[in-house]
């Protein structure tokens, strides 16, 4: 199901302003994301380690922050995306990494472990490392009331389009249910947005309200869109649908919605804490 979105991109190329229309495609690396340009700073950076997670294969093998991976099994590695690709192709087999540390080349052997959320993250094998990211210069732009309203309208249009495309992928089974979030995931995302500043804190509930508004219009019983669908059917058949049938349909969908809510809540808990860590935490309370 080739979901595509066309966006207008302004490019500054050596001081020359260039406007381009670019068609985005589904992200081949992360199933939960739709718009993919093919150029991402997170991947197109040097293979210098910024963090090595404790207890993961990378730390066990002796990797340290600041190390630069120069090859894997003798294959030269320059960009982070190449490193991620080689890990994905490893199939869990032991790898030999060539690294530079303080100008000295070293050889280490590391065995990747399976990712607990491979379907959602798009990464099947991990060694517990993350890249060293440079600080990005942030520019604060202020607009007048008219310009702000115009930009807000354009942003609302884009987010509505993105929400509809996401729903299309979900209902066509081209997007995993793990891309959904329940109350736990929403609370975590809200907390993260609040920590990023007041502007992001306001943006998050606005985005959430827009999503809920679009979802509420779906022709699903129990939702407003479902009531509209019932009225439309009654207008076509020119008689009222028996209350007993309506009640049965709504009961079935209530069970389905409650089941979906339970499923995404379990997925949120697993993504945020991991079942093993959550189980240990619960035992610690007693």
């Amino acid at each position: 199901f080739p979901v595509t979105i066309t966006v207008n991109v302004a490019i500054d190329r050596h001081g020359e302003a260039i406007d381009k229309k670019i068609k985005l495609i589904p992200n081949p690396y992360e199933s939960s994301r739709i718009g993919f340009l093919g150029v991402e700073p997170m991947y197109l950076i040097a293979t210098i380690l910024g963090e090595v997670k404790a207890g993961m294969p990378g730390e066990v093998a002796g990797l340290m922050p600041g190390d630069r991976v120069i090859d894997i099994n003798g294959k030269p590695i320059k960009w982070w995306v190449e490193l991620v690709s080689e890990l994905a192709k490893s199939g869990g087999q032991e790898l030999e990494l060539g690294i530079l540390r303080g100008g000295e080349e070293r050889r280490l052997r590391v065995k990747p472990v399976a990712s607990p959320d491979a379907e959602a993250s798009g990464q099947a094998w991990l060694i517990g490392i993350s890249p060293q990211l440079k600080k990005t210069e942030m520019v604060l732009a202020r607009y007048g009331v008219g310009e702000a309203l115009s930009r807000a309208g354009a942003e609302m249009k884009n987010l509505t389009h993105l929400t509809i495309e996401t729903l299309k992928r979900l209902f066509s089974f081209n997007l995993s249910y793990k891309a959904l979030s329940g109350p736990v995931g929403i609370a975590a995302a809200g907390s993260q947005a609040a920590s990023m500043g007041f502007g992001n804190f306001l943006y998050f509930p606005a985005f959430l309200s827009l999503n809920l508004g679009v979802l509420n219009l779906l022709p699903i019983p129990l939702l407003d869109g479902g009531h509209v669908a019932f009225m439309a059917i009654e207008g076509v058949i020119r008689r009222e649908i028996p209350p007993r049938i309506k009640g049965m349909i709504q009961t079935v969908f209530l069970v389905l919605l409650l089941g979906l809510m339970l499923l995404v809540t379990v997925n949120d808990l697993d993504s945020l804490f991991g079942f093993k860590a959550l189980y240990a935490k619960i035992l610690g309370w007693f």
Side-chain angles (χ1 to χ4, degrees):
F1 186 75
V3 177
T4 57
I5 302 174
T6 300
V7 295
N8 297 317
V9 179
I11 303 170
D12 183 351
R13 181 177 294 165
H14 306 299
E16 179 187 359
I18 302 173
D19 293 324
K20 287 185 176 291
K21 284 187 178 292
I22 300 179
K23 184 174 290 186
L24 306 182
I25 62 172
N27 194 320
Y29 300 107
E30 299 181 34
S31 61
S32 62
R33 297 170 60 191
I34 291 180
F36 184 68
L37 180 62
V39 177
E40 294 196 29
M42 182 176 178
Y43 293 106
L44 299 178
I45 60 175
T47 54
I48 302 175
L49 307 187
E51 180 185 2
V52 180
K53 292 184 179 179
M56 291 293 285
E59 186 200 43
V60 174
L63 289 173
M64 298 175 61
D67 289 348
R68 184 187 190 112
V69 181
I70 57 176
D71 72 76
I72 297 181
N73 286 345
K75 179 180 178 180
I77 297 294
K78 183 178 181 181
W79 302 111
W80 192 264
V81 66
E82 297 173 318
L83 189 155
V84 173
S85 176
E86 291 302 312
L87 289 176
K89 293 188 295 186
S90 71
Q93 298 298 312
E94 189 177 61
L95 302 171
E96 183 180 64
L97 274 59
I99 66 167
L100 280 179
R101 180 183 297 167
E104 179 185 350
E105 184 176 339
R106 305 188 181 198
R107 311 297 300 180
L108 300 174
R109 302 191 72 85
V110 60
K111 185 177 176 62
V113 295
S115 170
D117 62 341
E119 188 174 356
S121 68
Q123 298 184 21
W125 301 99
L126 306 173
I127 60 174
I129 59 174
S130 59
Q132 184 183 85
L133 300 175
K134 295 181 180 179
K135 291 185 178 179
T136 303
E137 182 181 352
M138 302 295 290
V139 178
L140 177 62
R142 299 182 184 277
Y143 303 102
V145 175
E147 178 70 8
L149 290 175
S150 175
R151 288 177 174 269
E155 182 71 4
M156 185 173 69
K157 179 181 177 182
N158 290 334
L159 291 177
T160 301
H161 187 199
L162 183 62
T163 301
I164 293 172
E165 293 296 344
T166 302
L167 289 172
K168 286 181 180 178
R169 292 192 67 193
L170 281 169
F171 285 114
S172 61
F173 301 103
N174 280 276
L175 186 64
S176 170
Y177 75 91
K178 292 186 177 182
L180 302 174
S181 289
V184 176
I186 292 173
S191 175
Q192 184 179 9
S195 68
M196 296 171 65
F198 187 65
N200 287 289
F201 176 68
L202 289 180
Y203 185 93
F204 179 75
F207 174 65
L208 185 62
S209 297
L210 180 63
N211 273 260
L212 292 175
V214 173
L215 290 173
N216 195 43
L217 294 176
L218 293 177
I220 297 175
L222 302 177
L223 303 180
D224 287 346
H227 293 299
V228 173
F230 276 135
M231 289 188 290
I233 293 173
E234 289 173 344
V236 172
I237 64 177
R238 296 186 178 279
R239 64 176 183 274
E240 183 182 0
I241 299 175
R244 180 170 171 274
I245 295 179
K246 278 186 182 180
M248 290 175 60
I249 294 175
Q250 289 178 334
T251 300
V252 169
F253 276 89
L254 175 62
V255 172
L256 291 175
L257 287 175
L258 289 175
L260 178 61
M261 184 175 293
L262 177 62
L263 189 63
V264 296
T265 300
V266 170
N267 180 58
D268 285 341
L269 292 172
D270 186 35
S271 298
L272 291 171
F273 307 107
F275 285 129
K276 289 183 179 179
L278 185 62
Y279 180 65
K281 196 169 185 178
I282 293 174
L283 288 180
W285 292 341
F286 298 97

